[in-house]
Amino acid sequence: MRNGFWSWVICASSLLAATPAAAQLRLSLGACGGGHLPSASLFADGASDGFATFGHQTGAAFGGRLTAWTNPRLGFEVEGLMAGGGIRYRASHEGTPLGEITREGQLIVGSANLLWAFYKPALEPIALYVSLGAATLQRQGAFFDDPELSDATPDLGLVAGLGLRYGVARGIFLRVDLRNVVSTYQAVERFESRRQHDLFPTVGLDVSLLR
């Protein structure tokens, strides 16, 4: 599955490099920060006599990206994001709480995305774009050091997003992005996997390397 992800990246890169607009290549390096908004718990199991659940907490996220625009409307981007809000665990039995704790836990997302600017005035320094891509997700930290939860193989996911890019100075662009990373997580084999929607609203700056 990991080979399939990188094959998708190589294929997308080759398609962009082969476009007639390759001579117009614009390359930029950026950094961003924002939040991580998980939409569901990673694990939940309940019965009449109790329940147990754990999941990522809402927290800060930061990352970096390398973006190549082959023309004003079409681009390709590799991005890495890290969120470290921690993992909250709760459990109860027969109505008696067994505890609620928060332990260290991070989510690391690496993605490759195609960008398409659906709004790009010819003489204005602004663009609105959508993004679509593939991602790998790695969960690590003290919580996942439990031998039953540890997994060295990253999960695979899809990424969909919406963003704004605005030129604030020559070669410097303000970026505002919202990306939804869709994946599944299976805590242990005896339980079913659960679909995850991890939202990342971020603000950042891109600096042109090649223009």
Side-chain angles (χ1 to χ4, degrees):
M1 294 181 71
R2 284 179 290 177
N3 291 337
F5 169 78
W6 290 113
S7 297
W8 187 94
V9 173
I10 294 171
C11 180
S13 302
S14 301
L15 287 174
L16 289 177
T19 60
Q24 304 178 26
L25 182 68
R26 302 291 187 268
L27 188 66
S28 63
L29 184 66
C32 62
H36 172 214
L37 308 175
S39 66
S41 58
L42 295 172
F43 171 85
D45 182 51
S48 58
D49 59 347
F51 74 90
T53 180
F54 65 81
H56 289 282
Q57 291 198 111
T58 298
F62 61 92
R65 55 198 167 213
L66 181 66
T67 310
W69 291 92
T70 60
N71 62 53
R73 291 190 178 273
L74 185 64
F76 177 73
E77 181 169 82
V78 177
E79 181 180 66
L81 291 169
M82 178 176 178
I87 304 295
R88 186 176 67 168
Y89 171 85
R90 295 184 300 136
S92 73
H93 180 68
E94 295 183 346
T96 302
L98 298 181
E100 179 174 334
I101 62 172
T102 299
R103 297 188 64 191
E104 177 194 3
Q106 297 88 37
L107 172 62
I108 299 174
V109 180
S111 65
N113 305 283
L114 289 175
L115 310 178
W116 178 63
F118 62 89
Y119 176 75
K120 179 65 181 76
L123 300 177
E124 298 293 334
I126 189 172
L128 298 177
Y129 53 87
V130 293
S131 59
L132 183 65
T136 62
L137 299 89
Q138 183 71 58
R139 293 176 173 86
Q140 62 182 35
F143 184 86
F144 297 102
D145 288 343
D146 185 315
E148 194 172 17
L149 297 176
S150 62
D151 186 359
T153 304
D155 297 321
L156 297 181
L158 298 176
V159 186
L162 181 68
L164 177 148
R165 186 173 186 255
Y166 186 81
V168 295
R170 182 174 176 80
I172 301 177
F173 299 88
L174 174 68
R175 288 269 301 265
V176 179
D177 288 89
L178 175 62
R179 285 186 172 165
N180 179 19
V181 183
V182 184
S183 64
T184 60
Y185 175 80
Q186 186 175 22
V188 290
E189 292 185 359
R190 65 178 180 272
F191 293 103
E192 293 184 356
S193 61
R194 293 173 62 86
R195 178 175 295 178
Q196 306 296 314
H197 289 268
D198 291 285
L199 301 178
F200 290 93
T202 61
V203 177
L205 286 176
D206 282 6
V207 178
S208 294
L209 302 177
L210 178 66
R211 61 176 186 268

